[in-house]
Amino acid sequence: MADRTPLMAGNWKMNQDHHQATHLVQKLAWSLKDAKHDFSAVEVAVLPPFTDLRSVQTLVDADKLDIRYGAQDVSAHESGAYTGEISPVMLAKLGVTYVAVGHSERREYHHEDEAIVNAKIKSAFAHGIVPILCVGEGLDVRKAGEQVPHTLAQVDGALEGLPAEQAAQIVIAYEPVWAIGTGEVATPEDAQEVCGAIRARLGELYDAPLADGVRVLYGGSVKSGNVAAIMAQPDVDGALVGGASLDAEEFAKIARFTEHAGA
Ligand SMILES: O=C(CO)COP(=O)(O)O
């Protein structure tokens, strides 16, 4: 099996102004420093709102922090008459490593379909930004037992026409919609079932060595108390954390999941 470095990414969603963002990242950095966190063993990233990115960049650069940061969305276009959109060129200038693409909240409230998600993934890669592709099923699909085909159809659509050298770098986050912000965490076996199927599909779309190198995350009500059991699954390589990433100490604990296995 490839040596995949786990990634713990905090999706702040629409929370924290730019002053609060600086404090939160500072606190996170202190908590991880206190714990002597090894960032080469577990990568840590935050995805703040656009308006915070310049402040986070300034702090990360000034204090030489090992914390990575990214955006929560990106335009499929580089520039032009797209009111309210943020270009990948602007994000690249802000030093972002990652961008979330196709989060279920974008799909639901902004009607993003597979074609848009696919275009945004290509737009990010064209400017050296690694997309975190979010996929996952709603409750109806889960009740019908269709979570795997549903999620794989999203993966197929999102990756259409993506060259292997880009697919090899992508991060895919499996986030069952019914587990987001509900406290209803999928069981480790639920997470493994779909994360494993995503990796197998990557093997079919590309090849097995490529699939073996791609990081597949789980997201949905991840906390320090449940992260270790989820991370123990063979095809789960990290977590996309919403609510719990707004608490620096809690998020640092999540990043240090190996210390509290069984907690
Ligand atoms: O949507 C999520 C991360 O992108 C998950 O959110 P919660 O961790 O708050 O359930």
Side-chain angles (χ1 to χ4, degrees), residues 11 13 103 105 175 179-182 219-222 240-244:
N11 174 10
K13 307 192 179 184
H103 191 278
E105 289 147 19
E175 300 205 301
I180 294 177
T182 57
S221 298
V222 172
L240 186 55
V241 184

Side-chain angles (χ1 to χ4, degrees), residues 43-119:
E43 196 184 329
V44 180
V46 294
L47 310 181
F50 290 128
T51 50
D52 299 357
L53 288 172
R54 176 62 179 149
S55 304
V56 171
Q57 177 189 35
T58 303
L59 173 65
V60 165
D61 286 356
D63 291 4
K64 297 188 173 44
L65 303 181
D66 290 316
I67 294 170
R68 306 247 164 97
Y69 55 93
Q72 298 173 16
D73 185 30
V74 63
S75 176
H77 308 282
E78 286 189 353
S79 66
Y82 300 102
T83 302
E85 297 263 292
I86 302 292
S87 158
V89 181
M90 300 167 184
L91 294 179
K93 201 87 178 168
L94 288 165
V96 308
T97 301
Y98 297 109
V99 62
V101 175
H103 191 278
S104 60
E105 289 147 19
R106 303 285 321 167
R107 294 176 191 260
E108 184 178 353
Y109 306 131
H110 301 272
H111 312 292
E112 292 194 3
D113 60 14
E114 255 38 86
I116 292 176
V117 170
N118 178 257

